[in-house]
């Protein structure tokens, strides 16, 4: 092994040792969290038009804020999620809009809560407000609906300590958001999201 390889190996070992070294101070207590990412709904196609289906399924921006409490491996939080409104049009023919918001109670399990890096899993329950509007300009007809549905979620991610009070989270979540109402019936819907966020322990 060359001298450069030995130095590089020693450097990697030092990084691993530092990453696995616990940092206990100021890790538990109430925290505030802010997250942002991308979301994409998926719906059954039984009761949708091509335009309304695309307006709902299209990827869009999400933002959320949460208040939580952490004790050892467990975190519990209440989170509000806002998803950017989608709008799709065919010029002079039709228009479709879709918007969704959620309020969730989420439990997390941190595998290594006092270390610089830790994977985590989460599960949540709450409700989602879905708002859909479709307008046919040629036929001069329109349809709108509002659905408040029970929602559950499952997720996983990786958390990194920036300081003993500030954490960076990167994660993925799956949501079952119930049914969305269309002019000719209802369709089941789910949502998949990826996010990055900051958590500050107060």
């Amino acid at each position: 092994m060359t001298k450069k390889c030995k130095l590089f190996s020693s450097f990697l070992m030092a990084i691993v040792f530092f990453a696995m070294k616990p940092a206990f101070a100021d890790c538990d207590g109430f925290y505030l969290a802010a997250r942002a990412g991308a979301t994409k709904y998926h719906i059954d196609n039984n009761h949708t038009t091509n335009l309304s289906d695309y307006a709902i399924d299209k990827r869009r921006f999400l933002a959320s804020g949460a208040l939580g409490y952490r004790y050892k491996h467990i975190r519990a939080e209440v989170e509000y999620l806002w998803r950017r409104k989608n709008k799709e049009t065919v010029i002079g023919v039709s228009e479709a809009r879709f918007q969704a918001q959620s309020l969730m109670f989420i439990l997390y399990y941190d595998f290594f809560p006092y270390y610089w890096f830790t994977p985590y899993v989460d599960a949540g329950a709450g409700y989602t407000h879905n708002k859909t509007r479709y307008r046919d300009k040629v036929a001069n007809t329109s349809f709108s609906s509002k659905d408040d549905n029970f929602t559950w979620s499952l997720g996983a991610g990786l958390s990194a300590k920036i300081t003993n009070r500030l954490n960076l989270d990167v994660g993925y979540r799956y949501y079952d958001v119930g049914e969305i109402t269309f002019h000719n019936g209802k369709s089941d819907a789910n949502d998949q999201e990826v996010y990055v966020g900051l958590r500050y322990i107060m």
Side-chain angles (χ1 to χ4, degrees):
M1 183 180 291
T2 65
K3 185 176 180 180
K4 288 184 178 180
C5 288
K6 289 180 179 180
L7 288 173
F8 183 69
S9 299
S10 299
F11 178 69
L12 288 179
M13 290 177 65
I15 292 176
V16 172
F17 175 78
F18 177 76
M20 295 305 295
K21 184 179 179 181
F24 290 92
D26 298 323
C27 284
D28 292 334
F30 286 99
Y31 65 83
L32 295 173
R35 303 179 179 105
T39 176
K40 188 177 189 301
Y41 265 54
H42 174 76
I43 56 176
D44 293 338
N45 295 320
N46 297 335
H47 304 293
T48 64
T49 65
N50 290 334
L51 186 60
S52 62
D53 181 50
Y54 185 67
I56 294 174
D57 278 1
K58 186 178 180 181
R59 288 184 179 87
R60 59 194 186 282
F61 174 78
L62 74 91
S64 73
L67 172 66
Y69 187 86
R70 173 179 171 173
Y71 181 70
K72 294 185 178 179
H73 291 273
I74 304 298
R75 286 186 279 134
E77 69 179 37
V78 176
E79 182 180 29
Y80 167 75
L81 296 100
W82 173 85
R83 302 169 180 92
R84 185 175 181 270
K85 181 188 295 184
N86 280 358
K87 179 180 178 181
E88 293 299 325
T89 61
V90 175
I91 298 176
V93 178
S94 57
E95 176 183 273
R97 298 184 182 188
F98 176 73
Q99 189 172 21
Q101 304 173 66
S102 298
L103 183 65
M104 303 291 293
F105 175 75
I106 302 176
L107 286 174
Y108 297 83
Y109 183 85
D110 293 321
F111 288 91
F112 310 110
Y114 300 123
Y115 288 73
W116 289 102
F117 294 93
T118 178
Y120 62 83
V121 292
D122 61 82
Y127 86 95
T128 297
H129 177 74
N130 296 306
K131 185 176 180 180
T132 307
R133 177 177 173 82
Y134 177 79
R135 182 185 176 193
D136 188 324
K137 297 180 181 179
V138 175
N140 195 28
T141 60
S142 64
F143 172 82
S144 63
S145 67
K146 296 178 181 179
D147 298 289
D148 292 308
N149 297 332
F150 171 78
T151 300
W152 59 266
S153 68
L154 294 173
L158 180 67
S159 181
K161 280 187 179 298
I162 299 175
T163 70
N164 280 329
R165 290 184 179 272
L166 186 63
N167 294 267
L168 175 68
D169 299 328
V170 178
Y172 162 86
R173 280 197 200 134
Y174 170 89
Y175 292 84
D176 185 310
V177 296
E179 294 181 323
I180 297 177
T181 303
F182 297 93
H183 69 285
N184 56 350
K186 293 187 175 183
S187 293
D188 292 326
N190 60 66
D191 179 31
Q192 298 188 62
E193 299 179 351
V194 291
Y195 63 86
V196 60
L198 292 173
R199 237 180 329 115
Y200 180 75
I201 299 175
M202 296 181 288

